[in-house]
Amino acid sequence: MASTLMRPISFPEIGFGDQDQDGNSALLELDRGLKSSRTGEQCEAISKFPALFERYPFPILINSALLKLAEVFRQETPGSNFVRVCVVEVVESCGRHLDKLINVDEFLRRITTVMHSNDPLARALTLRTLGWMSGVVGENRQVQHLIREALDAKDSVELQAAIMASEKYAAKSKTFAMNMCERLTHMIGGLATPVDVKLQLIQVFQHMHHDAETAATVRSLCLELLKEYPTQRVVITTLHTLTQLAAHILVDIPQQVDLLMGYLKSEARLGVRQAVLGELGYLAEAAPHAWSAENVETLIEFTRASRHNAAITTTALCVLASLTSAPAIPSVSLTPECGLVDLCRECVYDGSIKVSCRAIQLFTNIAIYMHEEQKNSIVCEEAHCAALSLLQCVISASQVDESNGNDESIVPSGLRMCLVCAVLLSRTNPDIMCDLATTLTDALADNMLSVCGCQLICEALASLGGTHGDVLTPHLVTILKFIQKYTHEAPLSSHKTKLLVTLVTLVMQIFHGHVWSTQARSAVVAASKCVNQWAAFCMARQASRYGHHSLAGGIYVLLSWRVCSDQQHFWVSALTELSSGEASTIAFTERAGERADNRDRADSLTKANSHLHRALSSLKAASTASQPMTFCQEYVRLRAETFMCHAQLLHACLSLRTAPPPAIAASLATSARDDLLRCGRVSQQLAKSARDFNNLASQYGNLYQSVFDADPQTLCNIALLQQGSLLVAQGIEIITRPSAGQLTDDYTGPDLTTITSKLGCGDSVETHTLIATLEEATSMVRRLAQVCCEVKPVREQHLQLLQGISEVLTSVPLPYPRFFFQTLQKTTITLALLPQPRTPGDPISVQTSSQLAIKVEGVIGHGKRPGLFRSVHSVTLTVNSTIQNRPQHTLDVKTEPNETLTQTVEPHNDFFAAQFLLGFPIPGLYQVSVDTSVTDDNDDAWQTGPRHTLNVRSQEDPSSKASVPQAPRPAPPSQYIPPAAQGASIPPPGVSTLPPPTPGTSGPPAPPAQQFSIPRPGLP
């Protein structure tokens, strides 16, 4: 059992069978397992708690679950220690949810009861549980006392658990850290303390960084330990502790680097040198600005002196590469003749491949920095030549022999790093990029690499073609030969299939923006037919992403009936209709030497709109609860709306000839003082088109703000489409509203550089195409502005330019973004509102004199790669209460029944909570909605949702209603008494006035009312 504490227990991904099961039902189900008399059933129930916490991470449920686990931990039953081990693992794996524990004292009371047990293993498990709870109870004096007492334990397992707990609490509590310094120093200096225990105690010092005084005391103690215990294990552990301590304090980093450099020069033990280089590498990544020029020179001299040891040289070059890869390079004078560049020249041609690869990485960092900061291209060219030479050496050295000729998974050592460095260097100069493309294509043609090696080469070529497609054009024949070669070898293995997909991608990059040749199209179609369905779909997807919609549509048609579910069929059918619609818009422009008529152009746009609406219907059919395809549907809808707006614009431009202005148009324009009325209907239609394009741009902006998880390329695509709509609207307003659409002399069009630089995606060929299209349309808008200044009002010249702008924006094939097909980052927000009605859908009853407290709890969920593009910094909750049916008798009340409240919270461990106090002063039925938006680290707002609603019924308070004074009923006309405050007043006509009663007297008694006996019907 003691060995169980030395290794973690990994719980499998155990979920719950019922996906619609709520948290309370799941907890009750697990509680039945905890109360079982069988140890196995108890452990099975405990193993499901991490999944329960991840699925329902709300404080009330977590508090109840942890209290149940603490109760199981306290019980003394056969096999209870193994159950406790499972509980410890649950507490360790769910550390991010422990701060949601509400009844902390009760939890501690149940856990610490086991510390009085006679079983040292049970006490050790208790100490480990308390150690993982340090983030919640770090300042608890009772727990700290238990840990200090446990350091005197004689049992080794309990002592190791106490040391682990001491390390956790020293990192959280300043008081505990200061009180433990002397105790730890005494234990380390004691002769009875074993060496392994001393090494563990030394590691506790690295967490004592709460203030400068404590850190200085600990640092002096560790330096004394280095002098008193010069053994290798103690030196390595102490240096690691000092490094971690300095990284937290920051002010001690220069002294720590100097200390490590001293050991690097004076130590002869290889183990200590490797450890010192590892610590230097950590400090190089953590604080490269704290290194001095002397430190860098010392490391360079050490690297030169240790050339006989390849391992030491490789590690030293890694440290230098980490230093030079940081944005803040140490204060080193970088010149082509400096010592760092000379070291790269010496090591890049070393006999060891590992040393050469690390040297070329260092050389690349220096060359790129000098190119960006000093505009020095000499070092870049020299580094590029060295990278190509090393690449050829790696390829030659990795030639597959006869024994391993059939092994497709062999990857040459250092090939990936050489390719990465060569691609980075090629982006500094287009000539270097052409040389690299030639070298890589020749390496493919020589057939000296395995399939996986060829895959790396093709990925490097795809990286080049993704930014400059023309670089690959001279090598089209070689790439097509490879595609035909693998097509004839079908059926293919998984590695060859992946390579074939990459080769087809290279061909699509080459023909991006160009007309396909018959040979290339036939080769790609044949390749799509000889692979499996998934590989064929990947080829079609790449064709859609690079704008080859006609080719993609042909592949989608074959795949639509080769799927295994209805959702997939509708998804592929939607892509088929999508490709057909996009291909129909460029069918006229692909005719050689023929220009389509504007009416035919409008018809093609209308046809494309019909295809896209059919695709939208298929997307709705393919949507499920787990995959709603919201972005795909909205993107296709806006694309269809774009085609329809352009078609209506073309019809409006043609209306000047089909429906000329009437004969009285001039007199109407004179009387209304509007020259546009001289043109007849065309002015009104153009104004409507301007409004449609402005509305379309607004919808693109809303779509942009709703895709928090989209990659930068997708966001750039949406932003450029929005700018295209705004550009058309501006061109129309130049004609219809000369004062509002007037351009300045320095007008340069939409600020596309800001968009691409902010998103960091201006280097891709897809973005280049959209930017070139917008720039051409911008030049036509400027020409339109000049014509409007010369000729007024609307003439055929203006409309021809508008038609040209529309044709430019719609005739270029649109590359569909990656987020349309693939989601690399997934972020979900789940809200829980309190209170909830007893029956779903029923309203919550409140009184008009009271207020309703609404508590909103939320959880942020992530996919496999959280924070890949952006992360949630804060969450904004907006609560709106709107009255639905207001009673008739409250219409005169001036109190505003609707209310809007907003609160911004920062999530902690992906959990956030907020409370709102709403009043409902007017009786009636209200709808309370909670909208969610997030802000990322760059302070950009995103309307991510979700949106939850509650129904609240406000009722009048009977007590407040009774206390309200009622207005006196008016007296009957026969008893009209004028008010005394108004003096004598004339009564209304026909009304007699009674004399006022005399004080102290009462009037004559009223005669009794006569009673009449009226017989009931049917009685005698």
Side-chain angles (χ1 to χ4, degrees), residues 595-817:
R595 185 177 181 86
D597 185 70
N598 289 324
R599 188 179 300 276
D600 296 335
R601 184 71 187 170
D603 294 340
S604 68
L605 293 176
T606 305
K607 180 181 178 182
N609 178 70
S610 302
H611 280 291
L612 263 65
H613 275 289
R614 285 196 290 268
L616 184 59
S617 301
S618 298
L619 285 175
K620 292 180 179 179
S623 300
T624 59
S626 58
Q627 295 181 346
M629 295 186 181
T630 306
F631 172 77
C632 299
Q633 296 179 26
E634 188 66 16
Y635 191 87
V636 172
R637 187 188 68 80
L638 292 181
R639 185 62 176 166
E641 188 70 20
T642 302
F643 288 152
M644 182 55 63
C645 289
H646 281 281
Q648 291 176 354
L649 175 62
L650 293 179
H651 284 299
C653 293
L654 292 173
S655 65
L656 185 63
R657 287 177 287 178
T658 58
I664 62 172
S667 60
L668 291 176
T670 304
S671 60
R673 297 182 180 180
D674 187 1
D675 291 340
L676 290 178
L677 295 180
R678 299 176 182 272
C679 308
R681 291 181 53 198
V682 65
S683 60
Q684 301 176 0
Q685 293 182 353
L686 288 179
K688 181 180 180 300
S689 294
R691 291 193 299 270
D692 292 341
F693 276 104
N694 282 320
N695 184 31
L696 180 63
S698 177
Q699 295 182 54
Y700 272 119
N702 295 335
L703 178 62
Y704 183 98
Q705 289 188 335
S706 64
V707 284
F708 178 79
D709 295 324
D711 54 286
Q713 186 68 41
T714 299
L715 295 178
C716 187
N717 182 287
I718 299 174
L720 294 179
L721 290 177
Q722 181 188 21
Q723 294 298 323
S725 301
L726 291 175
L727 197 61
V728 177
Q730 188 174 17
I732 298 174
E733 289 177 352
I734 290 175
I735 301 176
T736 58
R737 299 172 59 191
S739 59
Q742 187 175 5
L743 302 181
T744 59
D745 296 336
D746 56 348
Y747 175 74
T748 59
D751 192 1
L752 305 179
T753 305
T754 303
I755 297 175
T756 54
S757 61
K758 178 182 178 180
L759 300 174
C761 56
D763 296 335
S764 62
V765 292
E766 307 98 295
T767 306
H768 287 168
T769 302
L770 294 177
I771 290 177
T773 303
L774 290 177
E775 289 177 349
E776 183 178 358
T778 302
S779 64
M780 299 182 70
V781 170
R782 287 199 297 266
R783 196 183 317 156
L784 176 62
Q786 296 176 358
V787 173
C788 288
C789 295
E790 300 172 356
V791 180
K792 294 181 181 181
V794 181
R795 292 291 185 269
E796 189 66 26
Q797 302 176 10
H798 308 111
L799 301 181
Q800 288 181 358
L801 286 174
L802 273 183
Q803 294 168 3
I805 295 172
S806 175
E807 183 178 357
V808 166
L809 293 176
T810 56
S811 60
V812 177
L814 175 67
Y816 271 64

Side-chain angles (χ1 to χ4, degrees), residues 285-300:
E285 295 179 357
H289 57 278
W291 288 55
S292 62
E294 291 78 9
N295 298 141
V296 179
E297 291 296 332
T298 303
L299 189 55
I300 292 174

Side-chain angles (χ1 to χ4, degrees), residues 243 246-248 250 253 279-291 322 326:
T243 301
H248 286 91
L250 297 179
I253 290 181
E279 302 303 329
L280 287 174
Y282 177 80
L283 292 178
E285 295 179 357
H289 57 278
W291 288 55
S322 299

